[in-house]
Amino acid sequence: MALADSSSFKANLVGKRVIVKVSLFSRAFPGTIAATDETGFCFHSDEMLQALRESTGSVMNSLDAPSLYLPFSSLEWLVFSAPKAAAASA
């Protein structure tokens, strides 16, 4: 798949359902990218939040609706689905 510049690629990730693997965990997590900036992205993942709660103990109990911000530097890999027509032409 041919990609344009990284800023348009990052913008195109917003709203996509993805699977990410970050260096903090030994497993991957599904979720949705809510927003991106130059250094990272906001990620909605109930599974990752649960894993963080397990590893941090009671620290996160005081947060009503925690949000995840992941820097691109912590990303090991990311899987997303492209429309079939775009994937066929790549």
Side-chain angles (χ1 to χ4, degrees), residues 71-90:
F72 288 114
S73 62
S74 70
L75 190 63
E76 291 184 16
W77 51 262
L78 178 143
V79 176
F80 66 97
S81 177
K84 288 185 180 186
S89 65

Side-chain angles (χ1 to χ4, degrees), residues 19-79:
I19 301 170
V20 299
K21 169 68 174 75
V22 293
S23 56
L24 180 62
F25 294 103
S26 61
R27 66 185 187 102
F29 295 93
T32 303
I33 296 180
T36 63
D37 64 14
E38 292 302 314
T39 59
F41 56 100
C42 289
F43 186 61
H44 292 240
S45 172
D46 292 336
E47 292 88 349
M48 188 178 280
L49 282 173
Q50 182 60 35
L52 281 169
R53 283 189 176 102
E54 290 170 7
S55 65
T56 61
S58 62
V59 170
M60 289 181 59
N61 289 346
S62 62
L63 298 175
D64 290 336
S67 296
L68 296 168
Y69 179 84
L70 300 173
F72 288 114
S73 62
S74 70
L75 190 63
E76 291 184 16
W77 51 262
L78 178 143
V79 176

